[in-house]
Amino acid sequence: MTSASSPSSPPENSPILSTRALPIITASLNPATALAEDVGRIGLDIKGNDIVVEALDDPKVDGVTCHISRFDRGTLDRLMGGNWFENPSNYSIACRQTGQIKIRDIDMDEDGEVVFSQRESLIFKHVKIRRIADRKRNCLIYVAHSTQVVESSAKNSISTISLFGTGATLPAK
């Protein structure tokens, strides 16, 4: 069951707010962040829970794509389990060179720059992907993290891209 029309998924025109609409809403509020594209969906159970795989092209670094996998709670799971407007903070990220790398005007601060932000609850929680430039090692670091700290820990995942041999260079401070 990998399609959006599988029996475990709610109908596309469901009056229930779908978490699939949230990236579009979030991106429209913050045009500086990129949109992720759904490239796969793995149906897990009869409650409609899925693992969603999305592709995200870095809007300021041509030739870099990050793939994010995340858990998406189904309608039946939300009805049975409560906490209706929230997805768990479970993310994984892998970024790779997918073309000729060209770095434009990126933020070189140590806290990096938000490349992507997606709402995972009605009010407080977002998943964000930040790009951090490691000038000493000549690489880009991408960190997926939740903005909500749970049990004294923010869930996060990391991926790096080496710029050696690509012809790309990090901009001066």
Side-chain angles (χ1 to χ4, degrees), residues 66 91-93 95 111 113-116 127-132 140-146 154-160:
C66 294
Y91 317 103
S92 181
I93 186 170
C95 301
D111 65 341
E113 179 175 8
V114 174
V115 176
F116 175 77
V127 59
K128 292 189 177 191
I129 297 175
R130 287 187 171 272
R131 177 195 338 95
I132 299 171
L140 297 171
I141 304 163
Y142 292 84
V143 180
H145 66 92
S146 171
K155 304 262 184 164
N156 65 87
S157 182
I158 189 169
S159 186
T160 60

Side-chain angles (χ1 to χ4, degrees), residues 87-123:
N87 270 324
S89 300
N90 298 330
Y91 317 103
S92 181
I93 186 170
C95 301
R96 299 292 182 268
Q97 178 180 356
T98 55
Q100 182 65 38
I101 293 179
K102 179 182 176 190
I103 301 172
R104 288 182 258 142
D105 184 27
I106 64 171
D107 189 334
M108 296 297 291
D109 292 342
E110 72 176 25
D111 65 341
E113 179 175 8
V114 174
V115 176
F116 175 77
S117 180
Q118 177 171 293
R119 187 179 300 275
E120 289 295 323
S121 75
L122 190 58
I123 301 173

Side-chain angles (χ1 to χ4, degrees), residues 18-41 50-56 66-73 78 85-92 114-130 143-148 155:
S18 169
T19 56
R20 290 179 215 147
L22 292 174
I24 296 166
I25 294 167
T26 302
S28 66
L29 297 175
N30 186 1
T33 60
L35 281 174
E37 172 189 345
D38 276 7
V39 294
R41 181 173 290 270
D50 295 332
I51 294 175
V52 177
V53 179
E54 299 169 311
L56 169 72
C66 294
H67 288 91
I68 307 123
S69 67
R70 64 180 176 81
F71 184 81
D72 187 28
R73 288 180 62 213
R78 291 173 190 275
F85 295 106
E86 185 167 283
N87 270 324
S89 300
N90 298 330
Y91 317 103
S92 181
V114 174
V115 176
F116 175 77
S117 180
Q118 177 171 293
R119 187 179 300 275
E120 289 295 323
S121 75
L122 190 58
I123 301 173
F124 298 111
K125 185 169 54 171
H126 287 80
V127 59
K128 292 189 177 191
I129 297 175
R130 287 187 171 272
V143 180
H145 66 92
S146 171
T147 59
Q148 184 178 39
K155 304 262 184 164

Side-chain angles (χ1 to χ4, degrees), residues 8-10 16 19-20 41 45-50 71-82 84 86-88:
S8 63
S9 298
I16 300 168
T19 56
R20 290 179 215 147
R41 181 173 290 270
D45 57 26
I46 62 171
K47 294 180 184 177
N49 294 319
D50 295 332
F71 184 81
D72 187 28
R73 288 180 62 213
T75 304
L76 187 55
D77 188 27
R78 291 173 190 275
L79 288 171
M80 293 172 59
W84 179 262
E86 185 167 283
N87 270 324

